[in-house]
Amino acid sequence: MKTPSARTPDGGGRWPLVLLGVILVLVGLVLAVGGVRLATLGGSWYYLITGVVMVVSGLLFALRRMAGFWLFAAVFVGTVVWSLAEVGLDFWPLVPRLAPVLVLGLLAFLVLPRLSLGRVRAPAWAGALVLLAVLVAGGAAMFVPHGVIEGSASAGVGTAAPDATGESRWQYYGRTPSGTRYAPFAQINKDNVHQLEEAWTFRTGDIAGPGSENQNTPTQIGDTVYVCTPHSQVFALDADTGAQKWKFDPKADAKIWNRCRGVAYYEPAAVTARVGDVPAPAPAPTCAQRIVLTTVDARMIQLDAKTGEPCAGFGNGGTVDLKQGMGEVKPLYYFQTSMPTVMRNVVVVGGWVFDGREIDEPSGVVRAFSADTGELVWAWDLGNPNITKLPPPGESYTRSTPNVWSTPAFDDQLGLIYLPTGNNPPDFWGAQRSKASEEYSSSIVAVDVTTGKERWKFQTVHHDIWDYDVPAQPALYDVPDGKGGTVPALIQITKRGQIFMLDRRDGKPIAEVKEQAVPQGGQEGDWTSKTQPYSVGMPSVGTEPLSEARMWGATWFDQLACRIAFKQLRYEGEFTPPTTTPSLIYPGYYGGMNWGSASIDEHNGILVVNDIRMPQLVRLIPRADVDDKKITLSHGVGMHPQSGTPYAITQQAFNSPLGIPCHAPAWGTVTGIDLKTRQIVWQRPAGTVQDAVVSGVKAGVPVPLGMPTLGGPITTAGGLTFYGGTQDYYLRAYDTLTGKELWKGRMPVGGQATPMSYVSPKSGQQYVVMSAGGSRQSPDRGDYVIAYRLKR
């Protein structure tokens, strides 16, 4: 027979009280120990106080003392007050703060009748039901987007109307030379987009495995769609069926950075204004229409658009060696990843250089080649303006100058091409840079299309030691001047989340830019600019400074770990200089906004951008402590040697012990900005965690946290924005005026490319096409090109 003390007067065993007591003691000990560390770092005392009180509460529960319940009630109330004081009613920051005490509070109410010797039953069950209802409501709320700004349906003031006539072409990376990614077609619109279905799927066979990314935006001319693959293969497809017409394989492999964002198109007979003294070619039965390909081993190749055969009259049998004049080019140190830019009768190319390797890297020279013959027409070498073509024998273009790895835009009427420049290698150490490099790093530079001479420049970061290079194609659009007219603008998005609006005639800001003081105290031997430019006349996206209160985690414990980690780091805002003390860069070198670029609904004057919110942890490592044998050929992670400088640098994501970002979501958004009012009109988290993999496990639930994004959006005259660069496997359509999600199509794998749209001249059908090779953080990879159209 059991003794009376082994059972409560409520008729049950005492073990639930002991079990809850043990749980409270263990949780409290973890919080108290971590709380001591956080408090000594100058952080919140909440965890220490809560941990101690929970330990005492747990002991009292185990001893069957009502004081245990009342102490936990104090923890509960205190946690609610503290949480609301830190983050207000912001849903996702509240989840890891309140969910644990809600669950423990539910357990406390369930055992309260035993603890009270049967005296408190009805209030206990009522309290349990209330907390259970709150938990259920909170669980349901996890499947609803939070932080959403929804716009009104009123239209803005634009200049472009739907295109009812003329040939449909997606000829350039941004459809037109202006880089707005606006498709003036309204067959697919807000009223019928829900009827979209898959029209055809083509598989290239070039799966984006390790070291490769499928980032291609197809090119469409007439009844043919041209796609390129990570290894620079080109396919010509029927625009209505996706059937292969031809394939070209240049046999290229860059090992670590394989990607092709697009191929260019050139038609000699269509050129009305020519550049240089290269005569127009006589009509020929072959290569009357040409595809221009740059490869990941630094070649430029022209192909007959009809057959895929190399154009024999271009370069050497159809190929130009882009390493010519570059001096020493070590394997993997220089090649092209972005679409070449065809202007009039020239092809303009920049180049990607291997970030963070050394101070002596290939030049960032930008060159224009004859699109007819492959001859060099002009070169823009920012380190030596006297070199306008090939360097003198025995010399090279100026080495280690800022490069143009992204895509330019051009204004044919003004005769200007706009170059977004990178920062100077080796990225995170600037003491040894030249004066010219300092002037042009992380800038927009306008160059004369006929001569290659600079017209103007505008710098977005001074003395860039954060890898904040200008990553995106500028967008050219005429904005209202407030007097009934318009001003020809250049709109430049940046990794910093800043959006600069400049007069594209002279580079002067249209939206106000202010120089503002930034943190000092960089590593000895280097220096930092005292001020940096801020575009105060345009909204910024994803630039709210980090703080301890913004640290996040799926549980109490990893949020506490992130808070401790944050307090151990140096962080003074986006321009915290890298030093031998670990520090945070945010927005990081992935962005903010990146190479996917922006889109502008030209009819309504709405700018649409997607962004990334991923802080990076960096630290300079003294050269004496660097083991060169352990440095791999990785890009963007691990250690960069920065040879020739006193320091290497380590880089890694700022994640919790569970492998999720340490700061609160959203970690990526899609945003609409009215270019007339220069205000954000809508914003929503980008995608869900459905296909995200954490610690080797796929989440599998469509919780719309808003994930890091790649690729870019497009807008259409049908009032739609299409975007497919989320971490889940969907192409989505949003209402461009309101941001409301109207449709989504499931893809076999994720995407990180920018979609495109065209109207087939044969069927009259409008298509939306997306390359899907796998989102960056996903293990699921593919080789898909998928076209959608309305149900017939």
Side-chain angles (χ1 to χ4, degrees):
M1 179 180 295
K2 294 182 179 180
T3 63
S5 61
R7 300 179 64 84
T8 69
D10 198 44
R14 187 175 169 183
W15 67 265
L17 298 176
V18 175
L19 178 60
L20 179 57
V22 170
I23 292 173
L24 290 174
V25 168
L26 293 177
V27 171
L29 284 173
V30 174
L31 295 182
V33 171
V36 169
R37 179 61 175 145
L38 182 59
T40 60
L41 291 169
S44 172
W45 282 67
Y46 163 80
Y47 295 92
L48 173 57
I49 295 171
T50 297
V52 171
V53 176
M54 283 184 65
V55 168
V56 177
S57 172
L59 292 173
L60 292 172
F61 264 104
L63 294 172
R64 206 173 63 192
R65 303 287 180 84
M66 274 297 295
F69 179 84
W70 294 117
L71 277 178
F72 181 79
V75 167
F76 187 99
V77 173
T79 298
V80 172
V81 172
W82 170 76
S83 299
L84 294 176
E86 273 210 326
V87 298
L89 295 175
D90 198 349
F91 178 80
W92 284 115
L94 285 175
V95 169
R97 289 169 168 85
L98 296 185
V101 293
L102 287 170
V103 172
L104 292 174
L106 174 62
L107 297 177
F109 273 120
L110 290 176
V111 302
L112 181 57
R114 302 172 187 270
L115 184 65
S116 65
L117 303 177
R119 293 191 298 270
V120 182
R121 285 201 183 101
W125 304 134
L129 285 173
V130 169
L131 293 188
L132 180 62
V134 172
L135 284 167
V136 170
M142 293 174 68
F143 295 88
V144 178
H146 295 277
V148 174
I149 302 170
E150 190 157 319
S152 67
S154 59
V157 179
T159 58
D163 187 5
T165 61
E167 182 183 1
S168 159
R169 283 189 175 188
W170 193 287
Q171 183 172 344
Y172 300 88
Y173 183 56
R175 197 186 84 85
T176 67
S178 63
T180 60
R181 288 161 191 77
Y182 175 70
F185 319 122
Q187 183 182 116
I188 301 171
N189 55 57
K190 291 186 282 188
D191 294 329
N192 61 23
V193 67
H194 64 280
Q195 299 178 26
L196 276 186
E197 64 178 5
E198 187 177 312
W200 53 259
T201 295
F202 178 77
R203 302 197 64 174
T204 67
D206 187 358
I207 294 178
S212 300
E213 306 284 4
N214 187 329
Q215 298 176 342
N216 173 240
T217 297
T219 299
Q220 172 267 329
I221 306 294
D223 63 359
T224 306
V225 172
Y226 302 92
V227 301
C228 62
T229 72
H231 289 90
S232 305
Q233 298 176 25
V234 182
F235 291 83
L237 310 177
D238 184 280
D240 281 298
T241 66
Q244 180 178 319
K245 294 185 175 183
W246 55 257
K247 170 187 176 181
F248 176 79
D249 186 354
K251 307 295 184 183
D253 189 352
K255 308 298 183 186
I256 62 157
W257 206 239
N258 294 304
R259 60 211 62 215
C260 175
R261 297 192 180 112
V263 295
Y265 174 79
Y266 175 60
E267 189 173 341
V271 176
T272 56
R274 307 187 69 80
V275 175
D277 55 5
V278 180
T286 60
C287 291
Q289 297 173 309
R290 309 181 186 190
I291 294 299
V292 186
L293 166 71
T294 51
T295 67
V296 290
D297 57 4
R299 289 177 286 163
M300 179 165 58
I301 302 172
Q302 271 200 0
L303 307 172
D304 188 310
K306 297 297 184 183
T307 66
E309 295 296 321
C311 296
F314 182 81
N316 183 10
T319 300
V320 169
D321 181 3
L322 295 175
K323 295 188 293 294
Q324 188 177 12
M326 301 297 290
E328 181 187 19
V329 179
K330 296 179 181 179
L332 314 179
Y333 270 54
Y334 172 81
F335 47 85
Q336 286 65 39
T337 57
S338 296
M339 179 189 288
T341 301
V342 174
M343 305 183 309
R344 300 178 184 173
N345 63 319
V346 295
V347 185
V348 177
V349 294
W352 178 89
V353 297
F354 204 163
D355 290 16
R357 308 313 292 182
E358 57 186 61
I359 60 171
D360 183 27
E361 296 203 27
S363 176
V365 64
V366 177
R367 291 168 288 176
F369 295 87
S370 167
D372 300 309
T373 67
E375 294 181 44
L376 182 62
V377 178
W378 54 256
W380 179 66
D381 180 352
L382 65 88
N384 188 352
N386 294 323
I387 298 179
T388 58
K389 288 197 175 183
L390 278 174
E395 298 182 24
S396 71
Y397 296 113
T398 308
R399 295 182 68 78
S400 293
T401 50
N403 60 323
V404 177
W405 59 265
S406 190
T407 308
F410 73 93
D411 185 321
D412 195 55
Q413 184 176 353
L414 293 176
L416 295 178
I417 181 170
Y418 303 97
L419 309 175
T421 69
N423 77 327
N424 201 97
D427 303 297
F428 299 97
W429 181 260
Q432 293 151 271
R433 295 174 183 171
S434 67
K435 181 180 178 182
S437 291
E438 292 288 3
E439 290 181 4
Y440 289 92
S441 178
S442 305
S443 300
I444 305 107
V445 184
V447 169
D448 189 297
V449 65
T450 60
T451 64
K453 298 293 186 182
E454 175 195 330
R455 290 277 195 90
W456 57 260
K457 64 179 181 294
F458 177 88
Q459 191 164 60
T460 67
V461 181
H462 309 318
H463 191 62
D464 184 357
I465 51 175
W466 301 270
D467 197 14
Y468 281 152
D469 45 15
V470 181
Q473 182 181 31
L476 312 183
Y477 179 71
D478 296 345
V479 299
D481 62 2
K483 303 174 184 177
T486 59
V487 179
L490 177 149
I491 299 163
Q492 183 66 63
I493 61 175
T494 66
K495 287 184 180 180
R496 294 175 53 205
Q498 298 288 315
I499 303 172
F500 294 92
M501 181 187 289
L502 311 175
D503 189 319
R504 64 179 183 265
R505 295 169 297 188
D506 55 21
K508 295 179 180 179
I510 296 172
E512 184 181 5
V513 175
K514 283 186 177 180
E515 291 284 336
Q516 296 184 2
V518 294
Q520 299 298 293
Q523 189 65 32
E524 184 179 355
D526 203 347
W527 58 278
T528 52
S529 174
K530 293 183 179 180
T531 64
Q532 294 288 354
Y534 282 81
S535 182
V536 298
M538 286 287 287
S540 59
V541 177
T543 59
E544 181 185 353
L546 298 176
S547 65
E548 184 197 334
R550 289 194 64 196
M551 294 301 101
W552 199 73
T555 68
W556 252 343
F557 309 122
D558 58 325
Q559 184 183 68
L560 174 56
C562 284
R563 284 175 175 258
I564 292 171
F566 179 78
K567 296 299 290 186
Q568 291 175 310
L569 298 172
R570 181 181 181 186
Y571 175 73
E572 300 170 17
E574 65 173 309
F575 288 109
T576 304
T579 66
T580 52
T581 299
S583 59
L584 281 181
I585 299 179
Y586 182 75
Y589 41 76
Y590 294 126
M593 286 78 89
N594 212 303
W595 54 264
S597 308
S599 182
I600 297 177
D601 179 337
E602 296 183 8
H603 184 58
N604 293 304
I606 302 294
L607 173 73
V608 181
V609 299
N610 59 283
D611 73 300
I612 306 167
R613 304 181 186 187
M614 291 177 60
Q616 280 88 40
L617 193 159
V618 300
R619 182 164 69 96
L620 293 174
I621 307 296
R623 179 66 51 202
D625 298 334
V626 176
D627 184 351
D628 290 337
K629 294 180 180 179
K630 294 184 178 180
I631 298 176
T632 64
L633 291 177
S634 61
H635 179 80
V637 294
M639 180 181 288
H640 284 182
Q642 300 196 134
S643 299
T645 77
Y647 300 95
I649 190 163
T650 59
Q651 305 164 284
Q652 65 186 73
F654 184 46
N655 288 341
S656 80
L658 294 179
I660 61 177
C662 260
H663 64 301
W667 302 314
T669 66
V670 184
T671 302
I673 299 167
D674 189 320
L675 290 175
K676 182 179 181 182
T677 64
R678 303 176 191 172
Q679 298 293 322
I680 291 176
V681 292
W682 60 265
Q683 186 175 84
R684 63 186 306 113
T688 72
V689 301
Q690 177 176 346
D691 299 298
V693 176
V694 179
S695 301
V697 179
K698 184 173 285 191
V701 289
V703 177
L705 283 172
M707 301 296 284
T709 67
L710 277 178
I714 67 168
T715 53
T716 76
L720 299 170
T721 293
F722 287 95
Y723 182 69
T726 57
Q727 296 292 310
D728 57 4
Y729 303 169
Y730 291 97
L731 173 66
R732 288 177 168 83
Y734 304 98
D735 185 321
T736 303
L737 295 180
T738 68
K740 182 179 180 180
E741 183 180 305
L742 302 178
W743 170 87
K744 64 180 179 181
R746 180 76 173 169
M747 299 184 293
V749 296
Q752 52 177 291
T754 302
M756 52 86 76
S757 183
Y758 61 88
V759 174
S760 166
K762 290 192 299 184
S763 67
Q765 288 273 327
Q766 182 181 353
Y767 293 84
V768 178
V769 180
M770 178 76 187
S771 294
S775 52
R776 176 164 288 183
Q777 271 104 18
S778 172
D780 297 333
R781 292 297 172 122
D783 58 347
Y784 301 90
V785 183
I786 307 170
Y788 299 87
R789 68 181 172 211
L790 295 174
K791 293 179 181 179
R792 292 181 181 272

mmCIF file of all heavy atoms in Angstrom, residues 92-116:
data_model
loop_
_atom_site.group_PDB
_atom_site.id
_atom_site.type_symbol
_atom_site.label_atom_id
_atom_site.label_comp_id
_atom_site.label_asym_id
_atom_site.label_seq_id
_atom_site.Cartn_x
_atom_site.Cartn_y
_atom_site.Cartn_z
ATOM 1 N N TRP A 92 7.248 37.894 -35.038
ATOM 2 C CA TRP A 92 8.341 36.918 -35.021
ATOM 3 C C TRP A 92 9.327 37.157 -33.868
ATOM 4 O O TRP A 92 9.763 36.181 -33.241
ATOM 5 C CB TRP A 92 9.057 36.884 -36.363
ATOM 6 C CG TRP A 92 8.252 36.142 -37.395
ATOM 7 C CD1 TRP A 92 7.683 36.636 -38.526
ATOM 8 C CD2 TRP A 92 7.895 34.752 -37.354
ATOM 9 N NE1 TRP A 92 6.986 35.656 -39.199
ATOM 10 C CE2 TRP A 92 7.099 34.490 -38.500
ATOM 11 C CE3 TRP A 92 8.152 33.719 -36.463
ATOM 12 C CZ2 TRP A 92 6.593 33.223 -38.777
ATOM 13 C CZ3 TRP A 92 7.637 32.449 -36.727
ATOM 14 C CH2 TRP A 92 6.874 32.220 -37.881
ATOM 15 N N PRO A 93 9.674 38.386 -33.537
ATOM 16 C CA PRO A 93 10.521 38.554 -32.354
ATOM 17 C C PRO A 93 9.858 38.086 -31.065
ATOM 18 O O PRO A 93 10.541 37.690 -30.120
ATOM 19 C CB PRO A 93 10.783 40.063 -32.325
ATOM 20 C CG PRO A 93 10.691 40.481 -33.749
ATOM 21 C CD PRO A 93 9.580 39.639 -34.318
ATOM 22 N N LEU A 94 8.520 38.120 -31.000
ATOM 23 C CA LEU A 94 7.826 37.672 -29.796
ATOM 24 C C LEU A 94 7.828 36.150 -29.649
ATOM 25 O O LEU A 94 7.750 35.635 -28.531
ATOM 26 C CB LEU A 94 6.379 38.169 -29.790
ATOM 27 C CG LEU A 94 6.155 39.650 -29.481
ATOM 28 C CD1 LEU A 94 4.677 40.003 -29.634
ATOM 29 C CD2 LEU A 94 6.643 39.998 -28.070
ATOM 30 N N VAL A 95 7.913 35.428 -30.772
ATOM 31 C CA VAL A 95 7.753 33.969 -30.717
ATOM 32 C C VAL A 95 8.751 33.301 -29.773
ATOM 33 O O VAL A 95 8.347 32.571 -28.847
ATOM 34 C CB VAL A 95 7.812 33.365 -32.131
ATOM 35 C CG1 VAL A 95 7.930 31.845 -32.063
ATOM 36 C CG2 VAL A 95 6.571 33.748 -32.927
ATOM 37 N N PRO A 96 10.071 33.484 -29.942
ATOM 38 C CA PRO A 96 10.986 32.785 -29.026
ATOM 39 C C PRO A 96 10.987 33.350 -27.611
ATOM 40 O O PRO A 96 11.472 32.703 -26.685
ATOM 41 C CB PRO A 96 12.354 32.975 -29.685
ATOM 42 C CG PRO A 96 12.220 34.234 -30.473
ATOM 43 C CD PRO A 96 10.800 34.265 -30.958
ATOM 44 N N ARG A 97 10.444 34.538 -27.431
ATOM 45 C CA ARG A 97 10.359 35.110 -26.090
ATOM 46 C C ARG A 97 9.169 34.556 -25.325
ATOM 47 O O ARG A 97 9.274 34.225 -24.134
ATOM 48 C CB ARG A 97 10.242 36.640 -26.184
ATOM 49 C CG ARG A 97 11.522 37.337 -26.643
ATOM 50 C CD ARG A 97 11.225 38.802 -26.965
ATOM 51 N NE ARG A 97 12.445 39.595 -27.134
ATOM 52 C CZ ARG A 97 13.130 39.696 -28.271
ATOM 53 N NH1 ARG A 97 12.708 39.016 -29.329
ATOM 54 N NH2 ARG A 97 14.211 40.435 -28.332
ATOM 55 N N LEU A 98 8.017 34.460 -25.999
ATOM 56 C CA LEU A 98 6.793 34.097 -25.295
ATOM 57 C C LEU A 98 6.421 32.624 -25.393
ATOM 58 O O LEU A 98 5.785 32.086 -24.472
ATOM 59 C CB LEU A 98 5.628 34.945 -25.829
ATOM 60 C CG LEU A 98 5.728 36.452 -25.584
ATOM 61 C CD1 LEU A 98 4.457 37.135 -26.063
ATOM 62 C CD2 LEU A 98 5.970 36.758 -24.113
ATOM 63 N N ALA A 99 6.790 31.955 -26.493
ATOM 64 C CA ALA A 99 6.385 30.557 -26.657
ATOM 65 C C ALA A 99 6.853 29.674 -25.490
ATOM 66 O O ALA A 99 6.070 28.852 -24.982
ATOM 67 C CB ALA A 99 6.889 30.011 -27.993
ATOM 68 N N PRO A 100 8.107 29.811 -25.021
ATOM 69 C CA PRO A 100 8.519 28.936 -23.910
ATOM 70 C C PRO A 100 7.690 29.131 -22.638
ATOM 71 O O PRO A 100 7.297 28.149 -21.985
ATOM 72 C CB PRO A 100 9.984 29.327 -23.685
ATOM 73 C CG PRO A 100 10.432 29.922 -24.979
ATOM 74 C CD PRO A 100 9.241 30.625 -25.510
ATOM 75 N N VAL A 101 7.416 30.382 -22.260
ATOM 76 C CA VAL A 101 6.662 30.588 -21.020
ATOM 77 C C VAL A 101 5.195 30.204 -21.203
ATOM 78 O O VAL A 101 4.521 29.808 -20.230
ATOM 79 C CB VAL A 101 6.780 32.046 -20.500
ATOM 80 C CG1 VAL A 101 8.190 32.337 -20.056
ATOM 81 C CG2 VAL A 101 6.307 33.048 -21.527
ATOM 82 N N LEU A 102 4.687 30.294 -22.429
ATOM 83 C CA LEU A 102 3.314 29.839 -22.669
ATOM 84 C C LEU A 102 3.212 28.331 -22.480
ATOM 85 O O LEU A 102 2.260 27.837 -21.858
ATOM 86 C CB LEU A 102 2.866 30.240 -24.078
ATOM 87 C CG LEU A 102 2.570 31.727 -24.294
ATOM 88 C CD1 LEU A 102 2.389 32.027 -25.781
ATOM 89 C CD2 LEU A 102 1.318 32.146 -23.517
ATOM 90 N N VAL A 103 4.178 27.597 -23.002
ATOM 91 C CA VAL A 103 4.158 26.136 -22.855
ATOM 92 C C VAL A 103 4.348 25.752 -21.387
ATOM 93 O O VAL A 103 3.601 24.925 -20.840
ATOM 94 C CB VAL A 103 5.248 25.489 -23.728
ATOM 95 C CG1 VAL A 103 5.365 23.995 -23.418
ATOM 96 C CG2 VAL A 103 4.941 25.702 -25.203
ATOM 97 N N LEU A 104 5.321 26.349 -20.725
ATOM 98 C CA LEU A 104 5.546 26.038 -19.315
ATOM 99 C C LEU A 104 4.369 26.491 -18.454
ATOM 100 O O LEU A 104 4.000 25.829 -17.474
ATOM 101 C CB LEU A 104 6.840 26.704 -18.835
ATOM 102 C CG LEU A 104 8.138 26.140 -19.440
ATOM 103 C CD1 LEU A 104 9.330 26.980 -19.011
ATOM 104 C CD2 LEU A 104 8.329 24.682 -19.040
ATOM 105 N N GLY A 105 3.764 27.627 -18.838
ATOM 106 C CA GLY A 105 2.582 28.091 -18.107
ATOM 107 C C GLY A 105 1.422 27.133 -18.249
ATOM 108 O O GLY A 105 0.678 26.874 -17.280
ATOM 109 N N LEU A 106 1.260 26.553 -19.447
ATOM 110 C CA LEU A 106 0.207 25.548 -19.645
ATOM 111 C C LEU A 106 0.439 24.348 -18.742
ATOM 112 O O LEU A 106 -0.497 23.855 -18.079
ATOM 113 C CB LEU A 106 0.200 25.118 -21.113
ATOM 114 C CG LEU A 106 -0.735 23.962 -21.491
ATOM 115 C CD1 LEU A 106 -2.185 24.329 -21.217
ATOM 116 C CD2 LEU A 106 -0.542 23.587 -22.967
ATOM 117 N N LEU A 107 1.680 23.890 -18.674
ATOM 118 C CA LEU A 107 1.992 22.759 -17.785
ATOM 119 C C LEU A 107 1.747 23.120 -16.325
ATOM 120 O O LEU A 107 1.247 22.294 -15.542
ATOM 121 C CB LEU A 107 3.449 22.329 -17.992
ATOM 122 C CG LEU A 107 3.808 21.795 -19.385
ATOM 123 C CD1 LEU A 107 5.300 21.476 -19.455
ATOM 124 C CD2 LEU A 107 2.986 20.560 -19.726
ATOM 125 N N ALA A 108 2.100 24.353 -15.961
ATOM 126 C CA ALA A 108 1.896 24.772 -14.570
ATOM 127 C C ALA A 108 0.417 24.768 -14.202
ATOM 128 O O ALA A 108 0.038 24.335 -13.096
ATOM 129 C CB ALA A 108 2.505 26.163 -14.355
ATOM 130 N N PHE A 109 -0.436 25.233 -15.116
ATOM 131 C CA PHE A 109 -1.871 25.214 -14.836
ATOM 132 C C PHE A 109 -2.400 23.780 -14.765
ATOM 133 O O PHE A 109 -3.298 23.468 -13.969
ATOM 134 C CB PHE A 109 -2.631 25.998 -15.897
ATOM 135 C CG PHE A 109 -2.749 27.466 -15.593
ATOM 136 C CD1 PHE A 109 -2.228 28.416 -16.462
ATOM 137 C CD2 PHE A 109 -3.389 27.906 -14.452
ATOM 138 C CE1 PHE A 109 -2.341 29.775 -16.201
ATOM 139 C CE2 PHE A 109 -3.508 29.260 -14.173
ATOM 140 C CZ PHE A 109 -2.976 30.200 -15.050
ATOM 141 N N LEU A 110 -1.856 22.886 -15.598
ATOM 142 C CA LEU A 110 -2.338 21.507 -15.591
ATOM 143 C C LEU A 110 -2.021 20.796 -14.277
ATOM 144 O O LEU A 110 -2.772 19.915 -13.834
ATOM 145 C CB LEU A 110 -1.733 20.737 -16.770
ATOM 146 C CG LEU A 110 -2.244 21.131 -18.162
ATOM 147 C CD1 LEU A 110 -1.490 20.372 -19.253
ATOM 148 C CD2 LEU A 110 -3.750 20.875 -18.291
ATOM 149 N N VAL A 111 -0.887 21.152 -13.647
ATOM 150 C CA VAL A 111 -0.546 20.486 -12.376
ATOM 151 C C VAL A 111 -1.009 21.283 -11.165
ATOM 152 O O VAL A 111 -0.835 20.827 -10.017
ATOM 153 C CB VAL A 111 0.984 20.241 -12.270
ATOM 154 C CG1 VAL A 111 1.478 19.398 -13.428
ATOM 155 C CG2 VAL A 111 1.761 21.551 -12.169
ATOM 156 N N LEU A 112 -1.600 22.444 -11.401
ATOM 157 C CA LEU A 112 -2.015 23.289 -10.272
ATOM 158 C C LEU A 112 -2.998 22.599 -9.346
ATOM 159 O O LEU A 112 -2.894 22.749 -8.106
ATOM 160 C CB LEU A 112 -2.587 24.606 -10.801
ATOM 161 C CG LEU A 112 -3.037 25.617 -9.735
ATOM 162 C CD1 LEU A 112 -1.876 25.958 -8.787
ATOM 163 C CD2 LEU A 112 -3.576 26.898 -10.404
ATOM 164 N N PRO A 113 -3.986 21.829 -9.839
ATOM 165 C CA PRO A 113 -4.879 21.138 -8.893
ATOM 166 C C PRO A 113 -4.126 20.211 -7.948
ATOM 167 O O PRO A 113 -4.460 20.114 -6.761
ATOM 168 C CB PRO A 113 -5.812 20.355 -9.824
ATOM 169 C CG PRO A 113 -5.844 21.166 -11.082
ATOM 170 C CD PRO A 113 -4.435 21.671 -11.234
ATOM 171 N N ARG A 114 -3.109 19.517 -8.433
ATOM 172 C CA ARG A 114 -2.315 18.653 -7.557
ATOM 173 C C ARG A 114 -1.510 19.487 -6.553
ATOM 174 O O ARG A 114 -1.379 19.140 -5.388
ATOM 175 C CB ARG A 114 -1.354 17.793 -8.391
ATOM 176 C CG ARG A 114 -2.046 16.910 -9.427
ATOM 177 C CD ARG A 114 -1.004 16.239 -10.328
ATOM 178 N NE ARG A 114 -1.647 15.519 -11.412
ATOM 179 C CZ ARG A 114 -2.025 14.243 -11.346
ATOM 180 N NH1 ARG A 114 -1.827 13.572 -10.214
ATOM 181 N NH2 ARG A 114 -2.596 13.658 -12.372
ATOM 182 N N LEU A 115 -0.934 20.602 -7.095
ATOM 183 C CA LEU A 115 -0.111 21.436 -6.238
ATOM 184 C C LEU A 115 -0.939 22.070 -5.119
ATOM 185 O O LEU A 115 -0.459 22.246 -3.992
ATOM 186 C CB LEU A 115 0.554 22.522 -7.090
ATOM 187 C CG LEU A 115 1.535 23.456 -6.397
ATOM 188 C CD1 LEU A 115 2.758 22.667 -5.925
ATOM 189 C CD2 LEU A 115 1.958 24.584 -7.335
ATOM 190 N N SER A 116 -2.196 22.392 -5.424
ATOM 191 C CA SER A 116 -3.050 23.089 -4.440
ATOM 192 C C SER A 116 -3.848 22.130 -3.585
ATOM 193 O O SER A 116 -4.776 22.552 -2.878
ATOM 194 C CB SER A 116 -4.014 24.032 -5.170
ATOM 195 O OG SER A 116 -4.912 23.278 -5.972
#
